[in-house]
Amino acid sequence: VSSGKIIGIDDLGVSEDAINFDDDNLQDDPYQNIEQNIFKKALTECISTLPEREALVLSLYYDEELNLREIGQVIDVSESRVSQIHSQAMHRLKARMQSWQS
């Protein structure tokens, strides 16, 4: 006997792209790959121009996946100061990467 419970695709933990059989999704778009590579290079260059402490915070947060408290321990500042440094770095990057925004 069925319980009659209706579940959605989200409840199954399957993303829509996993069940979408669009022919367009079966082949990578080479132009999109080129654009992504150019974007990554531009982002890397922008990060390299950040002040050392800002670049370090971004590296520890995104590459090493440390949380703000852990980063604070590494660079010997408070968690709130790490948050400020992270925000400042993101504002700089956003301004420098403005040409990539839609």
Side-chain angles (χ1 to χ4, degrees), residues 81-92:
R81 181 65 184 129
V82 173
S83 178
Q84 291 171 347
I85 295 169
H86 179 269
S87 293
Q88 186 173 5
M90 295 306 287
H91 285 294
R92 283 185 208 266

Side-chain angles (χ1 to χ4, degrees), residues 1 4 8 11 14-16 31 33 36 42 56 63 70-71 74 81 86 93 95-96 98:
V1 175
D11 298 324
V14 178
S15 63
E16 284 189 40
Y31 297 110
N33 290 337
Q36 287 176 350
L56 177 60
D63 295 334
E70 293 167 330
I71 296 169
V74 170
R81 181 65 184 129
H86 179 269
L93 286 177
R96 294 176 185 178
Q98 195 168 23

Side-chain angles (χ1 to χ4, degrees), residues 48-82:
S48 72
T49 66
L50 290 174
E52 185 178 347
R53 187 176 249 186
E54 291 179 15
L56 177 60
V57 166
L58 293 180
S59 176
L60 293 173
Y61 189 76
Y62 293 103
D63 295 334
E64 302 299 322
E65 298 182 1
L66 298 182
N67 63 41
L68 299 181
R69 181 185 50 77
E70 293 167 330
I71 296 169
Q73 292 172 343
V74 170
I75 63 174
D76 198 30
V77 298
S78 69
E79 186 175 340
S80 63
R81 181 65 184 129
V82 173

Side-chain angles (χ1 to χ4, degrees), residues 27-43:
Q27 296 179 0
D28 289 335
D29 180 1
Y31 297 110
Q32 185 177 9
N33 290 337
I34 292 169
E35 184 178 26
Q36 287 176 350
N37 288 337
I38 293 170
F39 174 80
K40 287 178 184 179
K41 184 177 182 199
L43 181 59

